């Protein structure tokens, strides 16, 4: 089952975890995310052309001094 953004669009299944030693834990995290039991919390989602704004927000909290959390970057693909 694909993961969906708050707008209902499919998002990439990419979970970053600080472990390489325990692949089983990473696989379990992937299963939980795909089943909808583990939902990533994104504070803000940017379009790809806004990647500079996304970086400034993460690096300098530019535009939102109270920013805390994660961001997403939505990449539109044109498939025939």
């Amino acid at each position: 089952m694909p993961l969906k953004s708050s707008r209902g669009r499919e998002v990439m299944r990419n979970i970053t975890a600080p472990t390489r030693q325990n692949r089983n834990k990473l696989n379990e995290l992937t299963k939980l995310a795909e089943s909808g039991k583990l939902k990533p919390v994104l504070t803000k989602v940017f379009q790809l052309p806004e990647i500079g704004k996304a970086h400034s927000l993460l690096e300098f909290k530019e535009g939102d001094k109270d920013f805390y959390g994660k961001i997403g970057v939505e990449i539109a693909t044109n498939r025939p």
Side-chain angles (χ1 to χ4, degrees):
M1 180 167 107
L3 298 174
K4 301 283 183 174
S5 71
S6 60
R7 295 180 183 171
R9 296 182 180 153
E10 186 173 338
V11 295
M12 293 170 49
R13 289 181 216 129
N14 185 5
I15 299 172
T16 304
T19 180
R20 287 186 181 203
Q21 296 88 359
N22 198 332
R23 192 164 206 54
N24 291 335
K25 285 185 180 181
L26 185 57
N27 288 338
E28 185 63 27
L29 280 173
T30 301
K31 287 178 188 176
L32 288 171
E34 288 179 341
S35 71
K37 293 178 182 176
L38 176 69
K39 296 182 181 181
V41 178
L42 298 177
T43 304
K44 187 159 183 158
V45 177
F46 290 89
Q47 300 297 314
L48 187 57
E50 302 174 309
I51 195 74
K53 290 180 186 178
H55 184 266
S56 292
L57 179 60
L58 283 176
E59 191 74 20
F60 309 110
K61 295 189 178 188
E62 191 173 300
D64 186 353
K65 292 180 182 180
D66 297 323
F67 174 78
Y68 178 82
K70 302 289 183 192
I71 65 162
V73 178
E74 191 169 339
I75 302 171
T77 58
N78 297 328
R79 296 183 183 176

